[in-house]
């Protein structure tokens, strides 16, 4: 794989058509994007970088838009069945593809995830991935540039090209290691799960503080969130600029039925909300009228004290098992995952098997953790000079 010559700068319809013809022959493409997200509801795409084993293409959506050239054919090519996109921290690339083509990419390989499941660490930046996987140095000097300004300087184009230059070589090396460790399925499964998670992120209305609300108040909150999200999208500003989460929670808690009740909330009486007061009150009214059976559930749990104790002990055991398996703990099980395991163990006859004890995670965690919780295994200090000084072993007592 070699990208010794200059990347191709795509800013006209003719160049775009020529690129599409060449890309169509490749089943695997490296992908990255440069965008500006500050002060906007949705990030503004400023540059699209695509790599094949031999070529790098820098697609300029701003220049193409100036020539009335649509990007739709690019998105359709990227998401085509049988094509794999290789990325680092794929979330935004998946969103751009899904919005541009109307469907998610057929296959995504996120090198951050692959590296985390193969002992390189997680989440590694692009710079650190290149260094640890390939021992290659890349320039990170343009990470805070304003990608909207034209013309783009040669140093900016070089930086953008570097973002995809090493993606396919890293894929080759990581998949080779994954094959030897029999973890290719782990990586593919996690990358598929990432895509599904990104596609479900469109409506994340459970904002900070919502756990203390009743189900009825949660119904009101959901309607208020939808109003705020629609308005933020329409005027293209961050949702928090329309109304902060804390105010959203307070309105949901009080569920005001009149403008007088609404503006009795301290800090809410501003011009923008005065202008939208009818929409806000309508959202509250919709929430108050939701049928009881259709109200969202409250995720707050009143756990018995054992859950907190077991979670602390299990966290140590999980970290130990992650180190033994050479998998990053953050990918293996989060704190909420571990709490779920503790709850499940206390009520195994009522609760389904939690996600962290299934699939590849279950291969690492199920037997050791269940044995630990049942008292059949103990965690002790082994060699304190080892990177992983703890040992989880069968209990030898009577």
């Amino acid at each position: 794989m070699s990208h010794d010559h200059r990347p191709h700068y795509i800013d006209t319809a003719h160049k775009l058509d020529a690129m599409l013809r060449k890309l169509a022959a490749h089943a695997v493409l490296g992908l990255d994007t440069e965008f500006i997200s500050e002060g906007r509801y949705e990030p503004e795409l400023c540059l699209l970088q695509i790599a094949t084993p031999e070529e790098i293409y820098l697609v300029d959506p701003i220049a193409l838009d100036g020539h009335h050239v649509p990007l739709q054919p690019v998105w359709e090519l990227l998401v085509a069945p049988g094509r794999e996109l290789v990325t680092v921290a794929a979330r935004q690339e998946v969103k751009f593809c899904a919005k541009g083509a109307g469907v998610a990419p057929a296959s995504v390989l996120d090198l951050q995830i692959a590296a985390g499941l193969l002992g390189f660490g997680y989440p590694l930046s692009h710079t650190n991935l290149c260094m640890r996987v390939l021992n290659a140095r890349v320039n990170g000097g343009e990470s805070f540039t304003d990608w909207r300004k034209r013309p783009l300087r040669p140093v900016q184009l070089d930086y953008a090209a570097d973002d995809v230059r090493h993606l396919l070589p890293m894929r080759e090396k990581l998949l080779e290691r994954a094959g030897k460790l029999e973890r290719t399925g782990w990586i593919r499964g996690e990358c598929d799960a990432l895509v599904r998670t990104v596609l479900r992120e469109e409506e994340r209305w459970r904002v900070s503080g919502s756990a203390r609300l009743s189900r009825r108040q949660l119904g009101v909150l959901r309607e208020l969130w939808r109003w705020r999200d629609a308005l933020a999208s329409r005027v293209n500003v961050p949702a928090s600029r329309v109304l902060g989460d804390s105010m959203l929670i307070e309105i949901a808690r009080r569920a005001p039925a009149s403008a007088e009740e609404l503006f009795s909330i301290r800090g809410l009486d501003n011009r923008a909300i005065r202008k939208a007061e009818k929409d806000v009150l309508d959202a509250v009214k919709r929430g108050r009228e939701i049928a009881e059976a259709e109200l969202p559930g409250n995720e707050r749990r009143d756990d018995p004290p054992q859950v907190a104790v077991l979670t602390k002990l299990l966290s140590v055991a999980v970290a130990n098992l992650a180190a033994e398996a050479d998998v990053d703990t953050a990918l293996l099980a989060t704190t909420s995952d571990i709490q779920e395991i503790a709850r499940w163990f206390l009520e195994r006859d009522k609760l389904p098997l939690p996600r962290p004890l299934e699939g590849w995670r279950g291969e690492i965690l199920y037997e050791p953790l269940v044995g630990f919780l049942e008292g059949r295994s103990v965690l002790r200090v082994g060699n304190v000079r080892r990177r992983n000084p703890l040992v989880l072993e069968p209990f030898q007592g009577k």
Side-chain angles (χ1 to χ4, degrees):
M1 297 185 183
S2 175
H3 300 116
D4 294 335
H5 43 295
R6 300 288 300 174
H8 302 281
Y9 184 59
I10 310 301
D11 59 348
T12 67
H14 176 73
K15 292 179 182 178
L16 187 69
D17 289 342
M19 179 195 76
L20 291 171
R21 286 194 297 272
K22 288 191 174 183
L23 293 183
H26 294 276
V28 180
L29 297 172
L31 177 66
D32 191 47
T33 55
E34 304 296 347
F35 54 88
I36 300 293
S37 58
E38 293 81 8
R40 290 165 176 74
Y41 176 77
E42 288 186 339
E44 178 184 352
L45 179 65
C46 300
L47 199 66
L48 186 65
Q49 304 104 284
I50 303 172
T52 71
E54 299 83 22
E55 309 279 359
I56 292 176
Y57 298 90
L58 306 179
V59 183
D60 188 338
I62 295 175
L64 291 171
D65 185 59
H67 294 301
H68 307 289
V69 179
L71 277 182
Q72 184 75 15
V74 179
W75 300 123
E76 291 176 352
L77 180 139
L78 290 174
V79 304
R83 179 159 289 118
E84 177 183 297
L85 303 181
V86 182
T87 66
V88 174
R91 181 168 267 101
Q92 193 58 58
E93 283 68 39
V94 170
K95 286 185 176 180
F96 279 134
C97 286
K99 182 179 180 182
V103 295
S107 177
V108 170
L109 178 64
D110 188 324
L111 298 179
Q112 270 192 341
I113 291 173
L117 292 177
L118 296 172
F120 289 93
Y122 178 86
L124 295 178
S125 67
H126 174 260
T127 300
N128 286 333
L129 269 170
C130 291
M131 177 57 64
R132 294 194 189 184
V133 177
L134 298 176
N135 198 29
R137 294 185 180 275
V138 295
N139 177 23
E142 294 294 323
S143 55
F144 292 99
T145 194
D146 185 348
W147 291 99
R148 294 167 301 181
K149 292 184 178 179
R150 295 297 183 271
L152 292 170
R153 295 174 288 116
V155 66
Q156 291 175 299
L157 297 177
D158 288 342
Y159 169 85
D162 273 352
D163 273 353
V164 292
R165 190 179 307 279
H166 302 291
L167 296 184
L168 300 186
M170 283 195 286
R171 171 188 183 270
E172 185 176 322
K173 186 163 184 178
L174 289 170
L175 288 183
E176 180 183 3
R177 178 172 171 81
K180 291 177 180 177
L181 296 176
E182 298 184 346
R183 295 185 180 181
T184 305
W186 296 11
I187 293 168
R188 295 295 184 191
E190 283 304 293
C191 289
D192 290 346
L194 170 65
V195 173
R196 291 194 298 271
T197 298
V198 170
L199 297 180
R200 290 196 303 264
E201 283 181 350
E202 296 306 312
E203 191 167 276
R204 292 186 294 177
W205 57 268
R206 289 184 185 271
V207 299
S208 176
S210 62
R212 63 179 184 268
L213 298 180
S214 69
R215 291 183 65 214
R216 176 61 61 188
Q217 290 168 334
L218 286 173
V220 175
L221 173 66
R222 185 170 62 188
E223 294 302 321
L224 286 167
W225 185 95
R226 289 170 175 168
W227 158 77
R228 184 183 70 169
D229 192 65
L231 178 56
S233 176
R234 190 162 63 248
V235 299
N236 194 24
V237 299
S240 59
R241 191 176 296 179
V242 173
L243 190 66
D245 286 353
S246 60
M247 283 297 177
L248 216 61
I249 291 288
E250 190 60 23
I251 297 173
R253 189 180 68 80
R254 298 193 187 194
S258 67
E260 183 180 4
E261 291 179 9
L262 175 65
F263 292 110
S264 69
I265 300 173
R266 185 162 57 99
L268 190 63
D269 193 0
N270 62 55
R271 201 163 104 186
I273 301 303
R274 280 283 180 189
K275 190 175 178 180
E277 71 175 60
K278 182 179 184 303
D279 293 334
V280 174
L281 291 172
D282 285 347
V284 172
K285 185 171 184 289
R286 288 194 299 273
R288 294 174 69 165
E289 293 175 352
I290 297 172
E292 189 72 24
E294 297 175 7
L295 288 171
N298 195 323
E299 294 183 338
R300 184 176 183 179
R301 293 177 181 268
D302 293 319
D303 287 322
Q306 303 96 294
V307 170
V309 176
L310 291 176
T311 297
K312 290 177 183 178
L313 288 173
L314 288 173
S315 296
V316 177
V318 167
N320 178 75
L321 292 166
E324 287 183 355
D326 216 7
V327 169
D328 197 274
T329 307
L331 284 173
L332 184 58
T334 64
T335 299
S336 61
D337 288 334
I338 296 169
Q339 288 173 332
E340 189 180 0
I341 293 171
R343 294 184 188 112
W344 166 81
F345 184 77
L346 292 172
E347 299 185 77
R348 277 185 286 181
D349 56 331
K350 299 178 183 177
L351 298 177
L353 189 69
R355 182 187 72 104
L357 297 183
E358 298 180 315
W360 69 267
R361 291 177 174 84
E363 293 178 33
I364 298 173
L365 297 177
Y366 185 89
E367 288 297 336
L369 292 190
V370 171
F372 183 55
L373 288 166
E374 291 179 345
R376 293 184 285 107
S377 301
V378 294
L379 190 66
R380 67 173 180 83
V381 176
N383 185 346
V384 294
R385 300 191 181 280
R386 288 180 57 209
R387 174 173 167 262
N388 180 34
L390 301 179
V391 178
L392 188 62
E393 61 186 13
F395 179 54
Q396 301 296 329
K398 296 180 180 179

